[in-house]
Structures are given as C-alpha cells and as structure tokens.
Amino acid sequence: MTKGTFGQAINSALDTALALDKRVFVAGEGVGVSIHADPNMPTSGLLAKYGPERVKDTPVSEAAIMGLAVGAAAMGLLPVVEIMFFPFITLASDMLVNHAAKLRYLSGGKTSFPLTVRVKAGVNFSAGCQHSHNLEAWLAHCPGLKVAFPSNPADAKGLLLSAIFDPNPVVVVEEMPLYWTTGQYPKGDQRAPLGRAEVVRAGRECTVVAYGSAVHTALAAAEGLAQKGLSVEVLDLRCLAPLDREAVLGSVRKTGRLVVVHDANKTCGLGAEIAALAAEQAFESLKAPVRRVAAPDIPVPFSPPQERFNRPDARAVAEAVESLV
Amino acid sequence: MSAKNAARRLEMYSKLVLCRAFEDKISELAAERGRLPGMQILATGQEAVAVGVVQALSPEDVVVSNHRSHAHLLARGAEPGLLMAEIMGKAAGINKGKSGTLHMAAPELNVLMTSTVVGAGPPLAAGAAFALQYAGKEALAAVFFGDGAAAEGSVHEAMNLAALWRLPVLFICENNRWAGAQGLAEHCPVESLSQRAAAYAMIGETVDGNDADRVFARARTLAEACRLGRGPALLEARTYRMRGHGEYDRQHYVPKDEIERWRALDPVEAYGRRLTEEGLLSADQDRAVRGQARARVLEAVAFAEQAPYPAPNQALEDLWA
Ligand SMILES: Cc1ncc(C[n+]2csc(CCOP(=O)(O)OP(=O)(O)O)c2C)c(N)n1
Ligand SMILES: [Mg+2]
C-alpha cells in the first residue's frame, strides 16, 4: 500500500493502465498540458511519461471526445476520456447515451465498447450550477452504462482500473474536492470490483447508504450518533450501476432502518431507487419509514451560505437517523 | 474628426480604463484568501474587443456573453458595485448572488444571457435574433465566444441556422490564442477563425482586437448589415489573454516572450497613447479618467463588502416563473 491523495490514486490507476496495456489511451481537455500545476490533478505527469500519441489534449469538443471514445473502443482500443465538469456531459450525451450504451445491444452483441469516462464533479467549490450538477442518477438510469462513484483513494484507483479493463462503457465520477484528501491505496494493478458495495462502518440500529463524499458525511454523522449510544451502519455503494442490491438489502434486514444520503437533489435521485428497493424487497424488515437526505430540488447555488444550505451535512443525516429510532 | 467622434472615443477610453481597473482589483482580491469565492476569469488584455463592439451596438441590440464577461457587462454600462456584489455572492448583486462571476446577466441592459458552458452562446443568440426578426425589429444579437468555443458543434449549428434563416446575429470570436492550457495551434487547425464564415456563406472578417477604434469600425459596419437583413456576420478579433485562464492559473505553460510581446500591445495603454498623440487627451484628463475609474472600483468594493449575503433559504427562490 501507498499513502497518497485521491488525485494521486487516480493518477496511479491511469499510469498503471497505460504501462500495462498499449490499447489504453487518455484524451480530454487539458489532460496533457493543464492550467493546474498540481500533482494531485489526476492526469499530472502522464504526457511526459507516455507522450502525445497516448495522452491526447483535445479541442473543447465534448461530443467529439465521446465519439472518439466510442469509435476507438469499437475498434478494440481502451479509451479513457475526461469530461472536465459534470454538467458538460450533457454535450457528450448523445455519443454516451445513444451510442456507447446502445450500439452493442443494437448489434445483437457483435460489437463492444470498452471505454471509460472520467467525470469531474462536486457541488461545493463555489462555481455555480453550470459547473456543479451531480447527474449520476441520469447515467445510472441508462441501461448499458456502468457508473462508479468512489469515496476514497483506494476505490478511486481500484474502480478506475476495473473500469478501464471492463468490456463495457463505464463512467467514473470523481468529486474534485476529494482530490486533496489522503488515504492508502494499493500499488500496481489492484482492481476493485464494479458492483460491489462495502460496509465502511458496521452498526446495528440503522443503515445509512451513501456514495462519494456523502460517505464522509454519513461517517461523521455515525460517529456523532455513537457518542449518543446509537449504532449506525454505513454502506458505501461505490458503484451505482450495477447496484449491489444484496448489500443494501442485507444491511436493511439487519438494522431494520434505512437512511440514504447524497449530494444530488432529491427528486428522482439515487435515494429514490434505494428506497424503492427496500420497500419492494425488505418491507417486512423495516421498523420505520425510509428517509432520504439530499439537496433540495434547485440548481446548486453559488453564494457561499446558500451553497452550504444546499448540501446535506452530518447534522441532517444524524437528525434523519434519530427521527427513526 | 468631429466633436461627436472625439467624445465617443474619450468615452471608449474611460470604459477601457474602468474595465482594467475593475479586473485589476478582482485579481488583487482573489490573491487574498477568503475575499472572493470561486474562480475569477478575467478579460485583462481583451478590453478593446468588448468596448469596441458594445460601442457599435444600439440599446435594442441584445448581447450574449460567456465566462469571460466582466468587460462585456461594464462596456454595456453595468454598475460596478452590482457586479462586485454579485462576484462576492451578496444579495445586492446584479443576480442576487445566484450567479457569481461566471453567469451574470443584465437583461435590463439587454445583456440577456451569459453562459459559462463553452459554445452555448451562439445558439442562444440565434434564438434571440430569431425573436428580433420575428418582431420585425431592426436590431441584432451580438454573441461573444472564444477561439476554443469555435470547436464546439453548437457554434457550427448556430452559424448554419443563422445563415440559412438570415438571422441578425453578430458572432464575435475573441481569439485570445488560448483555450485553457491549449494554444491556438494545438486546438485549432486554422490560424484565422473568420475563414469559417465562408462555410456558411456569411461575411467574415478579422480585426486587430487590441485596437478599439478598428474593432468599433468593423463591428459597426457588420452590425449595420445584420440589422438590414443581410443575415449573420462573423467578426474575429485577434487579442490576447494577458492573465492566464483564471486567477489560479500561473501560466507556467505560456512562453515568457509571448506574454512580453503582447504586454507591449496592451489595448488600454495603446488607446491612451493614441488619444494623447492626437491631442484628444491631456495628461490631466488622463489622470482624471484613471482616478475616476479607481474611485468607482473602490466604491464598488466598499458597497459589495458591506452588503449582506442572501439568506440561505432564499436559495429556494427564483427557479420558477
Ligand atoms: C462545454 C464546456 N467545456 C469545457 C469548459 C471548461 N472551459 C472553460 S473556459 C475553457 C476554454 C475556452 O476557451 P475559449 O473559448 O478560447 O475562451 P477563453 O477562455 O480563451 O476566453 C474551457 C475548456 C466549459 N466551461 N464548457
Ligand atoms: Mg481563447
């Protein structure tokens, strides 16, 4: 294991994949030469090491970037493309949603699209709603797309490596404010399975399901509640599609209570899917209603006090848990 | 040179100086931790494009701006205090703190929309121009976008539609030679973006974007053609992004001599020199213009800093009409 930042862990995954397999290439706006001179930016140093044939700066052309990935993947390459901010995936969505996700199906299984999309996300860096808009539920809704959403450096590396070598299109969501957080991650080609959730804190009285940085919100809430004598289990989904339904159901059957937390707004968010899953398949285990802790149904506001208001915090999670026990 | 022209050119100079002073202050505040939220993207070095084009517009003309919007807004007459309060996220800001620096709109000044999604402006402007055409107005929509934006499909779709329907759109490509850390040669196969106009059978011209007089003159001619129903036009203004992409950008990837070369072509200084040489601007007047600009900016900062933040739950307002 190595100690490093979330950003360095992603960098290590890209480095590992590029070194391992000549079919891998990286493309996007500023993935080679960047305005950020920061080793915690995930593509830092790759151009110098692998050259412009494999680390490709593109024009500002999201549709072409995604088309490049789809076409090259169909030809057998393993593209890893970057979308600079989550809302800009809308410009690439035809290539991603109508093509990457559907062309294999349309070909009767004859073609495949082993591409990876790294999307830079987050709702708390004062850029406003055209830069901050977590659209993971849109993507998870599309059959044919896998969606990973790591919360820590080890998963950031492991899930990205799995994504790159997965034979299907995978979107990996990276919350930029996490880039500078630190942790342990494995050296070399160590992959984390796509579609497997993880209990990151075991507990008995309530399950809190989260992903990405909301996992840290949930853990902080669980820590605070432990002081009050409440035992909370935190489940990190790690992957939204495929969803680890068994892990969710297993935890809910054990604790009998469920809170889901995410930074994205509430309506039609991932929380709705998790709540429906519990209602459909673990109803008899539930001792209380399911609660969702999510942003209100507004675009992410810019003004600092409003941006804080928008984002679910540990107190909101703790209150939701306490309202159930 | 008529007295009217002289007055207009002095007004343009005051605006150039104001834009520069405003953004110099932002850059200063951005360097101090905690005084400005978010990223600060400045048009330092590109002021002559904003000022020259906007001067050629009539009040009925609509402006659509992009992420590098401060000079467009100031040239159109936006109040520096309202912009500064917005940039700080205050309730008194021009968009109640909902926008911040990146998407400020001032429909009261016909700066109808600003988008920080690169390449979004041209289709939006085509829509605004359609509404003007529909209403039979002799007015146009002017849209600013960058050399980088010219690579977005949306820009090409908008140009094609505007040309096909003869929509009154003045496309202004601010070619500042950079898109993020990608230099023009790395992101664009042509040196001159006005060449693109030929593909849509519209007028296309390139102008020295650091020369406010020339920008004004070409923008006025093209705007006139748009208003008369001749369809859209593309004006490429060659200029330079003097301060990097945003204030966090240290320009480590920019050749030092390139920055120096363009510093010598500073559009604000050049215009002051020209007016002085022509005897239109005395040393005293110049001091007064600069002093006034500084004073307005300091006033703006004082106003913005004492202004309260919006209430957190006012975040829930303004979504629906
Ligand atoms: C659709 C989209 N992609 C990427 C970005 C990130 N981005 C912001 S500005 C910029 C460069 C734009 O270059 P250019 O159009 O030349 O404008 P300039 O910044 O030089 O004024 C990029 C890539 C964005 N805002 N929107
Ligand atoms: Mg540019």
Side-chain angles (χ1 to χ4, degrees), chain B residues 95-160:
Chain B
N95 302 116
K96 303 189 205 167
K98 286 276 176 10
S99 162
T101 172
L102 290 177
H103 343 67
M104 290 187 285
E108 60 281 12
L109 299 169
N110 258 342
V111 184
L112 189 64
M113 297 173 272
T114 297
S115 176
T116 185
V117 181
V118 165
L124 298 171
F130 174 76
L132 292 169
Q133 186 190 60
Y134 196 76
K137 291 203 176 132
E138 267 194 27
L140 61 89
V143 55
F144 294 96
F145 61 100
D147 49 303
E152 290 284 12
S154 56
V155 175
H156 297 269
E157 293 183 24
M159 287 181 176
N160 187 58

Side-chain angles (χ1 to χ4, degrees), chain A residues 29 60 62 84 88 91 131, chain B residues 67-68 116-118 146-149 152 176 178-180 245:
Chain A
E29 297 159 16
V60 193
E62 288 76 12
M84 200 182 265
F88 309 156
L91 283 78
H131 284 77
Chain B
H67 56 287
R68 214 174 284 286
T116 185
V117 181
V118 165
D147 49 303
E152 290 284 12
N176 63 10
W178 289 95
H245 179 69

Side-chain angles (χ1 to χ4, degrees), chain A residues 28-38 47 56-65 84-85 87-88 90-92 125-132 176 295-310, chain B residues 37-39 86-90 96-103 114-118 148-149 151-154 179-182 186-188 241 245-246 248-253 309-317 319-320:
Chain A
E29 297 159 16
V31 297
V33 183
S34 163
I35 56 177
H36 303 283
D38 182 340
L47 175 64
K56 307 203 67 70
D57 278 321
T58 64
V60 193
S61 305
E62 288 76 12
I65 292 169
M84 200 182 265
F85 290 92
F88 309 156
T90 57
L91 283 78
F125 45 85
S126 290
C129 59
Q130 288 187 337
H131 284 77
S132 288
M176 282 181 286
D297 288 320
I298 51 171
V300 175
F302 164 76
S303 184
Q306 297 189 335
E307 195 181 46
R308 284 192 293 276
F309 166 85
N310 178 68
Chain B
M39 41 185 133
E86 185 61 40
I87 290 165
M88 292 186 183
K90 301 298 185 71
K96 303 189 205 167
K98 286 276 176 10
S99 162
T101 172
L102 290 177
H103 343 67
T114 297
S115 176
T116 185
V117 181
V118 165
E152 290 284 12
S154 56
Q182 276 57 60
E186 280 114 51
H187 73 77
C188 182
R241 194 192 70 185
H245 179 69
Y248 45 87
D249 175 1
R250 301 270 83 91
Q251 295 178 283
H252 56 277
Y253 52 86
Y309 283 108
N313 66 3
Q314 285 176 315
L316 301 172
E317 299 169 3
L319 181 60
W320 301 104

